[in-house]
């Protein structure tokens, strides 16, 4: 069973609570780093840095991040070595991000519409395994880029 580290800014707070219910129903262990209410603005880079550091250092295997659009969280999280954060608006994007990209952070928009039910997107992301094969070769190339640029 996967343990999920989850976080959002104020723009993603409400949807984060919905995602937590979905994970709870799946009996998945959740570690919520906040924010814990949606009234007071918090800066998405702080939350993304917190979760991306955990993933990058191998302290957690999978994370979920939410902000208004999902874009800010994606930009920040993908600056961390070994983090592959995927902004997914649909079930198919969620499936591909796991099967082809071995995404370790699912990013969701709190304020923009999804193409599929939130539950379907989250469950698909959690239930899809990395296909390896040619996709592993491509992930290794990403790691090489990180090494070449001295990011790891
Ligand atoms: C916050 O207003 C908003 O900018 C943030 O949630 C996010 O959408 C940034 O990308």
């Amino acid at each position: 069973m996967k343990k999920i580290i989850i976080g959002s800014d104020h723009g993603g707070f409400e949807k984060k609570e919905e995602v937590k219910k979905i994970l709870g129903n799946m009996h998945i262990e959740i570690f919520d780093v906040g924010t814990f209410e949606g009234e007071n603005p918090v800066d998405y880079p702080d939350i993304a840095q917190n979760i991306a550091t955990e993933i990058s250092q191998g302290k957690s295997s999978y994370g979920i991040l939410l902000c208004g659009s999902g874009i800010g969280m994606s930009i920040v999280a993908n600056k961390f070595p070994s983090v592959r954060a995927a902004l997914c608006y649909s079930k198919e994007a969620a499936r591909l991000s796991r099967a082809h990209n071995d995404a370790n952070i699912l990013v969701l928009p709190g304020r923009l519409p999804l193409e599929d039910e939130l539950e379907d997107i989250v469950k698909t992301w959690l239930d899809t395994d990395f296909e390896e094969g040619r996709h592993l070769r491509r992930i290794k190339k990403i790691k090489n880029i990180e090494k070449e640029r001295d990011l790891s």
Side-chain angles (χ1 to χ4, degrees):
M1 191 62 64
K2 289 165 183 167
K3 178 188 153 197
I4 300 286
I5 182 167
I6 189 168
S8 76
D9 72 353
H10 53 293
F13 170 72
E14 277 183 26
K15 200 158 275 173
K16 172 165 69 70
E17 297 309 296
E18 288 178 44
V19 173
K20 282 167 61 183
K21 272 187 203 147
I22 293 165
L23 298 176
N25 290 339
M26 294 173 78
H27 306 291
I28 287 176
E29 196 185 340
I30 305 162
F31 182 60
D32 186 354
V33 305
T35 187
F36 298 107
E37 48 82 29
E39 294 302 314
N40 296 301
V42 293
D43 297 335
Y44 64 82
D46 298 331
I47 305 288
Q49 181 178 21
N50 186 340
I51 289 196
T53 300
E54 288 282 310
I55 302 288
S56 188
Q57 294 179 351
K59 291 179 183 162
S60 299
S61 300
Y62 298 97
I64 299 181
L65 280 167
L66 305 95
C67 63
S69 63
I71 295 169
M73 290 296 193
S74 305
I75 290 170
V76 178
N78 280 311
K79 293 201 177 297
F80 289 74
S82 301
V83 167
R84 292 175 300 280
L87 174 56
C88 298
Y89 286 66
S90 70
K91 200 174 143 177
E92 180 62 357
R95 187 188 71 76
L96 287 168
S97 79
R98 287 287 310 124
H100 289 192
N101 310 113
D102 197 18
N104 45 21
I105 297 184
L106 170 64
V107 187
L108 294 162
R111 290 174 172 161
L112 296 178
L114 297 169
E115 287 175 25
D116 295 299
E117 295 292 326
L118 177 64
E119 186 167 348
D120 287 340
I121 295 173
V122 171
K123 283 188 172 169
T124 299
W125 194 78
L126 291 170
D127 290 345
T128 305
D129 290 325
F130 180 44
E131 284 177 9
E132 303 204 2
R134 67 189 188 282
H135 303 298
L136 182 58
R137 182 179 75 239
R138 292 160 186 166
I139 297 298
K140 284 180 180 165
K141 288 192 175 186
I142 299 174
K143 288 186 192 292
N144 285 341
I145 291 168
E146 289 173 349
K147 272 190 202 138
E148 277 165 24
R149 302 186 67 205
D150 206 16
L151 294 173
S152 55

